[in-house]
Amino acid sequence: MTFEETGLKPEILKAIAEMGFENPTPIQEVTIQHLINSTQDLVALAQTGTGKTAAFGLPVINNISMQIKEVQSLILCPTRELCLQITRDLDKFSAYIPGFKTIPVYGGADITKQIRELKSGGQIVVGTPGRVHDLIRRKLLNISAIRWMILDEADEMLTMGFKEELDAILATTPAEKQTLLFSATMPLGISEIKSKYLNNALEMSVGKRNAGAENVEHHYYMVHAKDKYATLKRIADNYPDCYAIVFCRTRMETRDVAEQFMADGYNADALHGDLSQAQRDQVMARFRSKQLQMLIATDVAARGLDVTELSHVINYSMPDDPEVYIHRSGRTGRAGKSGISVTIINMKETGRLKQIEKLSRKKFERKMVPGGEEIVEKQLFHLIERVKNVDISSGQVEKYIPQILEQFEGMSHSDIVKHFVSLEFNELLDYYKNARDLNIRVEAGRDSMGRNDRGDRGSERMSFTKLFINAGKKQNLNASGLIGLINEYSNRRNIEIGKIDIQRKFSFFEVDSAFEKDLVNALNNQVIEGHVINIGKVQSIEGQPASSREGGSFRREGSGGGYGGGRPREGRSREGGFNDRSDRPRRRRN
Ligand code: AMP
C-alpha cells in the first residue's frame, strides 16, 4: 500500500514525502485507514520505532476541522521529551495546513507560557498527565470538544505513577470521541483502562508481540563483573564509528561510568534523572546532532529520545525485566537499518540472558572481547580510511608543502608514513601491549552459556585465594583504591582480582592464587599514610579454601596486628579500575 492509497489529504502527503516517508509502516496501514473510515476505538500493541507517532498523528491531523476553534485532540504521553518529540513530528506532518497548531504542555516548565499558548488556541494538545490534569482542574484547558483521545506509551504512564491523573482526565472527556491506546506491553492496569474507558475496541499488534526488531543482532560478552568497564572500553575501541546508547541500571552507575568514560577520552556524556531539565536537553541535543558518539543513560532518561540511526545499543547492565531488554534493543535496527544489541554479562547472569532469549525468540551470539592486537588493527585502518577521505580541497595546507617536504628530505615514503602513524599510535600500542584476555573461558564440552549436558553452570578456570587486609571504609578504602594498592605494591598490572568486600575497618578480596604469596610479602607491614598494613590469607573454619565458599565465617591465617590501614593510593592499571587511562588522547568523532 502507498500513502496515496490511504486517503490522506494532499497537504499531508506533500509533508511526509519531504520527510522521506515512502510507504506506510504496518501499523500506519491499519490505523490510517481505520481512523479515516471508522469511529471505533483502537488498542495497538506497538513498540517505539514502529512509526506509531505517524500512525495516530497523520489520520488525526487529516480529520481535524480547521473551522472548529476548540481543541479537537488530546494526546497523553509519559515524558516531557516524548511530548516534545510528538509535537515536533506533528508540526512536520501539518506543515502545509495553514494555521494548524499543536501545543505541548508538560511539567517542570513555565506554566504561564503554556497557558498563553493554550489561550491563543490550537487543534491538538500533547501533554504529560500531571500537567494536563492540573490545567484541566484550573479550567485553563478545555477538553469538552475533543474527538480523538490518544494514550501513547500507556504502560509507561502507569509505571511512572500517572494512574490517578489518567483516571481523572479520562473521566472528564466527552462520551462521543474515539480513543486510541498505544502500549508496548499489556499489563493488568492497561486492561483495566481498556475495559473502563474504551468501547468495543479494535485490537491490533504490530509484528510479533515482544519480537523486537528483526534486523538486530544480539551479542553478548561474558566477563568477570570487575572487568565490565574494561570490556566497555574495548567494545568502544573496536567499533570506532559506533553511535550508541549505553544503558546502565541506576543513576549512580550511569554517572560513574560516564564520568570515567569521559575522563578516558571518549566522546560521551550522561543522561539521567539527577540532571536538570536544561542539562538533559543539552545532552540530548548534542547526541541527536551526533556531536556525542555515545550516550550513557538510564532507561527512564532515555525514553522519548528518538534517534533512528543507532549502530549499537550496549547493555552495560542487563535489565531485570526481559521486556526492558526488548525495548532497549529495539532502539537500534530502525527504519530498515541493521543494528547490534550488545550485552555485557558475568557468569551469574547467564540464566537471565536465557530468559530473554526465550521471551524474544532471538538467538544471542557470544562474542569474544577483542584483544589488543585486534583493536589496534581496527583503529589503525580506521585512521587510514580517515586519512584517505579527509577533505583537502580548501588548499589551506598547500603553501606549507614545499617547506614540509624539505624537512622530510632523505626519508623514504614508507618511513614518513611510519612516523605519522607512530605519532598517533604509539600510545595506543603501548596501552594494549600485553592486554589481558578479559573473556571468561568455559570448559570444553560446555556450551557458550556455560552449561554442560546436564544444564548446570560451568566454572571459571582461575583459582582465587581470599585475602584479608586491615583497612576498610574508615580508612577511606574503596574497591578501586584497593585495586590500585594491589597494582602498586605487586608491581604488576594484570593480577586477576575476584570478589571485593570492603568492611568498616577491614576488607576481604580474592586474588589469583598464583600471586597470593608475592602480594602478601609485598604489602605486609608496609606503612601507608602512617598505618601499618596487615594482610593475610583467609581460610574458612571448616578448613575449606575460602574461595570455594560463598560467605561463611572466616579466620585469618598469617600475620596479626592492629587495624592500621591508611588511604591507599589510587591508580589501577589502565584497564582495571575507574581511575585509569586519563592520559589517553581524547577520541574525536569524525
Ligand atoms: P516512532 O515509532 O513514531 O517513534 O517512529 C520511528 C521513526 O521512524 C521516526 O524517526 C519516524 O520519523 C520514522 N518513520 C515513521 N513512519 C515512517 C515511514 N512510513 N517511513 C519512513 N520512516 C518513518
Side-chain angles (χ1 to χ4, degrees):
M1 173 176 269
T2 63
F3 275 117
E4 281 71 21
E5 287 163 343
T6 58
L8 290 172
K9 291 181 190 174
E11 299 94 304
I12 298 177
L13 293 176
K14 182 175 173 196
I16 57 177
E18 279 178 13
M19 289 174 75
F21 290 15
E22 284 171 7
N23 294 304
T25 63
I27 190 172
Q28 291 163 4
E29 275 193 21
V30 178
T31 55
I32 296 174
Q33 290 192 85
H34 179 77
L35 259 82
I36 289 179
N37 302 315
S38 158
T39 53
Q40 189 189 5
D41 289 344
L42 178 87
V43 172
L45 201 61
Q47 323 263 339
T48 2
T50 50
K52 67 185 164 62
T53 315
F56 60 76
L58 296 175
V60 165
I61 293 173
N62 189 79
N63 290 1
I64 271 173
S65 159
M66 294 305 287
Q67 284 15 286
I68 300 174
K69 289 273 159 292
E70 287 88 10
V71 174
Q72 293 167 61
S73 179
L74 175 64
I75 300 169
L76 294 178
C77 62
T79 63
R80 166 196 157 118
E81 284 72 33
L82 189 56
C83 175
L84 289 169
Q85 177 68 44
I86 294 171
T87 308
R88 267 197 297 272
D89 284 353
L90 300 190
D91 284 347
K92 285 187 203 154
F93 303 153
S94 61
Y96 291 105
I97 305 178
F100 197 102
K101 195 153 168 231
T102 301
I103 305 169
V105 295
Y106 44 83
D110 183 8
I111 198 164
T112 50
K113 189 167 162 271
Q114 294 174 4
I115 294 169
R116 227 179 302 129
E117 293 269 300
L118 288 171
K119 283 200 172 132
S120 70
Q123 287 70 34
I124 300 180
V125 168
V126 188
T128 49
R131 179 56 60 97
V132 167
H133 183 224
D134 192 20
L135 289 163
I136 293 173
R137 267 191 312 132
R138 291 162 68 175
K139 301 212 176 338
L140 294 161
L141 170 61
N142 175 7
I143 56 165
S144 62
I146 61 163
R147 293 160 64 200
W148 298 278
M149 170 81 225
I150 290 144
L151 301 162
D152 191 18
E153 301 208 356
D155 51 348
E156 199 56 31
M157 288 197 275
L158 290 186
T159 310
M160 291 177 74
F162 285 131
K163 171 95 173 65
E164 264 176 45
E165 285 87 351
L166 284 181
D167 275 330
I169 297 167
L170 286 164
T172 56
T173 54
E176 282 298 304
K177 64 170 188 307
Q178 190 172 16
T179 304
L180 278 67
L181 185 153
F182 293 85
S183 193
T185 58
M186 278 294 154
L188 205 62
I190 298 292
S191 305
E192 272 172 31
I193 290 186
K194 197 179 85 187
S195 51
K196 204 160 156 194
Y197 300 107
L198 275 72
N199 264 331
N200 176 35
L202 171 73
E203 290 189 27
M204 66 170 294
S205 159
V206 184
K208 260 183 271 146
R209 188 178 171 189
N210 300 331
E214 284 304 324
N215 37 358
V216 177
E217 287 176 37
H218 300 263
H219 296 171
Y220 74 98
Y221 294 89
M222 189 154 63
V223 298
H224 295 288
K226 68 176 176 59
D227 286 332
K228 264 166 69 168
Y229 180 67
T231 303
L232 175 67
K233 289 198 295 189
R234 293 222 189 152
I235 294 169
D237 284 345
N238 201 40
Y239 294 109
D241 271 331
C242 75
Y243 178 48
I245 300 183
V246 179
F247 283 100
C248 292
R249 190 186 296 269
T250 60
R251 292 171 184 193
M252 210 196 318
E253 186 179 69
T254 307
R255 205 177 41 225
D256 288 349
V257 172
E259 272 173 16
Q260 190 57 39
F261 209 48
M262 286 188 274
D264 284 343
Y266 293 87
N267 182 10
D269 212 333
L271 189 68
H272 53 75
D274 286 345
L275 302 176
S276 71
Q277 189 59 54
Q279 287 172 315
R280 266 187 283 170
D281 287 348
Q282 205 198 17
V283 172
M284 283 197 272
R286 282 167 60 221
F287 187 60
R288 264 195 212 102
S289 64
K290 296 196 180 162
Q291 287 170 47
L292 278 183
Q293 187 178 0
M294 293 172 98
L295 187 71
I296 325 283
T298 55
D299 291 290
V300 172
R303 288 199 81 90
L305 175 71
D306 183 50
V307 178
T308 42
E309 298 142 71
L310 290 184
S311 65
H312 290 74
V313 160
I314 300 175
N315 297 282
Y316 184 79
S317 281
M318 204 174 27
D320 293 324
D321 181 355
E323 299 226 348
V324 173
Y325 174 85
I326 291 160
H327 204 264
R328 285 181 183 179
S329 60
R331 287 175 161 275
T332 182
R334 288 208 197 164
K337 297 199 175 76
S338 58
I340 298 175
S341 173
V342 171
T343 306
I344 304 172
I345 61 163
N346 59 42
M347 282 199 74
K348 285 191 192 136
E349 291 173 319
T350 50
R352 213 136 33 96
L353 198 73
K354 282 298 300 171
Q355 250 183 321
I356 296 173
E357 249 192 349
K358 221 164 112 189
L359 195 91
S360 63
R361 295 198 199 93
K362 298 284 171 204
K363 191 88 197 115
F364 280 71
E365 193 185 333
R366 180 172 184 189
K367 293 281 176 188
M368 297 317 241
V369 182
E373 210 172 302
E374 195 180 333
I375 290 172
V376 169
E377 199 177 303
K378 260 281 186 51
Q379 294 265 341
L380 181 61
F381 287 102
H382 181 247
L383 172 73
I384 302 301
E385 224 21 59
R386 281 173 57 205
V387 169
K388 271 165 49 189
N389 295 331
V390 71
D391 183 9
I392 54 165
S393 62
S394 72
Q396 293 195 72
V397 290
E398 210 66 48
K399 62 180 178 212
Y400 303 108
I401 295 296
Q403 262 175 291
I404 295 171
L405 289 178
E406 216 174 284
Q407 300 273 330
F408 285 133
E409 214 168 87
M411 279 168 84
S412 71
H413 182 194
S414 77
D415 273 351
I416 296 174
V417 173
K418 265 188 227 163
H419 276 256
F420 272 107
V421 169
S422 302
L423 187 67
E424 184 83 4
F425 266 82
N426 277 356
E427 203 177 343
L428 192 73
L429 284 166
D430 191 37
Y431 174 57
Y432 274 121
K433 195 163 68 190
N434 306 325
R436 279 184 306 131
D437 179 6
L438 299 181
N439 297 289
I440 292 180
R441 300 287 168 179
V442 178
E443 286 170 27
R446 290 173 191 263
D447 74 8
S448 64
M449 290 270 204
R451 297 154 303 199
N452 63 13
D453 294 342
R454 295 194 312 278
D456 59 357
R457 273 204 215 140
S459 61
E460 296 165 22
R461 263 197 325 198
M462 178 149 323
S463 136
F464 279 119
T465 297
K466 190 161 191 164
L467 295 178
F468 164 95
I469 186 166
N470 64 334
K473 287 178 193 149
K474 190 157 186 270
Q475 287 78 26
N476 290 325
L477 183 65
N478 57 22
S480 65
L482 179 65
I483 294 167
L485 199 68
I486 295 166
N487 286 325
E488 193 174 339
Y489 282 84
S490 65
N491 236 344
R492 286 173 191 274
R493 295 184 152 200
N494 54 356
I495 296 184
E496 285 285 346
I497 299 162
K499 236 190 270 170
I500 294 177
D501 176 14
I502 310 276
Q503 299 285 332
R504 215 171 85 77
K505 290 181 174 174
F506 56 88
S507 306
F508 295 113
F509 61 98
E510 295 174 336
V511 286
D512 182 350
S513 304
F515 297 103
E516 168 223 324
K517 284 210 169 71
D518 286 355
L519 186 66
V520 169
N521 288 340
L523 256 172
N524 212 14
N525 296 324
Q526 288 288 345
V527 181
I528 298 173
E529 293 181 14
H531 297 287
V532 183
I533 290 287
N534 274 288
I535 180 169
K537 188 172 165 186
V538 176
Q539 208 151 31
S540 71
I541 285 169
E542 294 82 354
Q544 293 286 319
S547 54
S548 67
R549 292 165 48 88
E550 285 283 324
S553 49
F554 298 96
R555 65 179 168 79
R556 284 186 55 213
E557 192 188 69
S559 59
Y563 296 141
R567 176 146 174 69
R569 281 156 243 169
E570 307 275 313
R572 163 73 165 150
S573 80
R574 305 174 90 200
E575 272 214 338
F578 271 45
N579 298 308
D580 52 352
R581 233 175 83 167
S582 50
D583 51 345
R584 202 185 142 173
R586 293 195 77 79
R587 286 166 42 119
R588 284 177 307 271
R589 189 168 166 77
N590 38 308

